[in-house]
Amino acid sequence: MIIDDQYYDLIIIGTGAGGGTLVHKLAPTGKKILVLERGETMPLEEQNRSNVDIFRKERYHAPEQWYDSAGEPFSPQTNYAVGGNTKIYGAALLRMRERDFETVTHQEGVSPEWCVKYADFEPYYTAAEQLYLVHGQSAIDPTEPPRSADYPYPAVAHDPCMQPVVDAIAEQGLHPVTMPLGLTRQQDDPTSDSEVCGLVPALKYDNVTLRTSARVVCLHTNPSGRVVKAVEAEIGGESYLFLGDIVVLACGAINSAALLLRSANDACPNGIANSSGLVGRNFMKHSLTAVVQLSTASNSGKFPRSVYIHDFYWGDENFSYPMGHIQNTGGLLQDVIFAESPPVLSVLAKVVPGFGLKQLATRSIGWWAQTEDLPNPNNRVRVENDKLYLEYTPNNVEAHDRLVYRWIEVLKAIESTQSIFQRSNIHPRGEAPLQVVANQCGTCRFGTDPATSVLDPYCRAHDLDNLYVVDGSFFPSNASVSPCLTIIANALRVGDHLIDRLK
């Protein structure tokens, strides 16, 4: 084993929304920072760009196998690269609603209260929108939370194929809102991500070092298990030990939990930071259903997502419980999750014989219906014989079904401009399959009580003085919007805490 001859003030593991943002926040401190990333720099042609043949199955799957609750292997749809999953995301950056931070009663259970409130997050949401160049439109969404500032950039206009649809939705008395998007507006690399906005500026500082192709396999603690003393990583077939004062995990909710569990030792036989027994538990990832709308008019198949609807976020006149979030996917030829299942369009192929998948995609508009799933300790990440198991059973099912059918009703009501509506068959219930682990969170929830949470309100492990987690692991509940902007905002919030501590 090779022991690195440098000693670091901070070691950050992972460069996605949490890790890449935190590096940017801490780089100006002058503290010696090591960033370890399992992947390498991702070429533009491999990212979520419109020239990608998105229907090539498993393009965006990690080169490894995980296992489901039945022990069956699958390849997860997750990305190991500088910038993490923000290199292939849709750059839809929405705030959680103010009520999402409170206790919310759902038909199938309770979404628990957060120990930190929207008011605490609000200035960091504003800073996150500035950092990630968010283009948006406020004061139209009926669920919009209070804002201290407007979006830093104006909303992007809808694609010509979408504007008539947006207008028709508004005529139904609904409130279609322009999607807040993180955009650089550069022709060759239009999406703002954690590499572009976080790492690239941070690496201009001499005190920041990035090591790629570095797969972290273990955290080593002192004999009491109270302090992380070293990070072990595999680089180029060799094992390295890196030493530092503070260690921050940002590997994604699944891999951060797995790393803590794999780091079990004599002092922590069930994994480090796990005196509560909750590491890996309460995994959440949203209920997602694709609704494909076949249009009489053709489109490029490569236009950006641009609209969301929150009229059913907290329910409707027939259902008093939260239902969730609707957004269009943009052109189907550039939506990563549609790569999971070409059969999404195969049903429509029967309606329009002679059309290939690509031809159908250019006559379709995709929509995602997205509903909060509730924390369940039996939905979990666990490690056995060095194999990663992801055990997950969907919940809050009726609320999600109601959202899907309610949205299909809306689309049918505007049939003067659209002709055919089809719920996807990605999954027997129309949901994304297990290998789609977008929006993963909840495996190391934060809170004030060490018996019922893994992390404290500043995302430091209750059990260890120098270990933090800044990916989606800290979420005690999932809301119905994408967690990405909240992860970014939280990284900035934790960054302020670490700056005070480092002083």
Side-chain angles (χ1 to χ4, degrees), residues 28 89 129 171 194 200 231 238 277 298 326 373 403 441 456 498:
Y89 76 154
E129 289 166 350
E171 289 172 3
S194 64
V200 170
V231 174
E238 299 278 357
S298 63
I326 297 286
D373 56 342
L403 178 66
C441 59
D456 76 7
L498 286 171

Side-chain angles (χ1 to χ4, degrees), residues 96-311:
M96 285 172 49
R97 308 350 252 170
E98 191 171 20
R99 185 176 155 196
D100 283 324
F101 289 83
E102 307 296 337
T103 301
V104 178
T105 300
H106 295 257
Q107 187 188 38
E108 294 188 16
V110 173
S111 179
E113 180 182 8
W114 286 41
C115 61
V116 177
K117 302 301 184 180
Y118 175 81
D120 301 303
F121 263 82
E122 200 286 328
Y124 295 105
Y125 275 136
T126 298
E129 289 166 350
Q130 291 280 350
L131 179 60
Y132 278 73
L133 311 174
V134 177
H135 296 61
Q137 176 186 28
S138 61
I140 294 178
D141 178 359
T143 70
E144 175 115 26
R147 304 179 60 93
S148 60
D150 203 348
Y151 288 101
Y153 299 94
V156 177
H158 300 297
D159 187 84
C161 77
M162 283 302 303
Q163 188 62 59
V165 179
V166 172
D167 293 341
I169 292 169
E171 289 172 3
Q172 299 297 311
L174 302 177
H175 301 81
V177 186
T178 304
M179 180 74 73
L181 297 171
L183 299 171
T184 66
R185 307 310 294 268
Q186 296 175 12
Q187 191 66 30
D188 62 334
D189 192 9
T191 303
S192 64
D193 55 54
S194 64
E195 180 188 21
V196 172
C197 297
L199 277 167
V200 170
L203 289 172
K204 294 178 181 178
Y205 291 84
D206 293 339
N207 54 301
V208 179
T209 301
L210 171 66
R211 297 289 298 266
T212 59
S213 298
R215 180 176 178 266
V216 175
V217 296
C218 186
L219 304 180
H220 296 277
T221 71
N222 65 352
S224 70
R226 295 289 301 174
V227 177
V228 177
K229 301 297 290 184
V231 174
E232 182 181 346
E234 295 176 350
I235 305 176
E238 299 278 357
S239 289
Y240 285 78
L241 273 186
F242 299 97
L243 310 178
D245 283 336
I246 296 173
V247 175
V248 182
L249 302 190
C251 314
I254 295 172
N255 277 311
S256 284
L259 179 57
L260 294 174
L261 295 171
R262 286 190 173 115
S263 300
N265 54 38
D266 290 341
C268 309
N270 297 317
I272 66 173
N274 198 25
S275 64
S276 64
L278 292 174
V279 169
R281 293 189 180 272
N282 297 298
F283 168 72
M284 296 170 284
K285 73 180 190 95
H286 282 145
S287 293
L288 284 168
T289 290
V291 177
V292 179
Q293 186 180 0
L294 186 61
S295 172
T296 55
S298 63
N299 60 66
S300 66
K302 300 174 183 179
F303 57 92
R305 63 190 69 199
S306 65
V307 63
Y308 75 91
I309 295 89
H310 272 178
D311 291 271

Side-chain angles (χ1 to χ4, degrees), residues 11 22 115 130 167 187 216 287 299 344 399 424 431 453 465 502:
I11 300 175
L22 185 64
C115 61
Q130 291 280 350
D167 293 341
Q187 191 66 30
V216 175
S287 293
N299 60 66
V344 168
S424 81
E431 294 180 348
S453 58
D465 180 61
L502 289 166

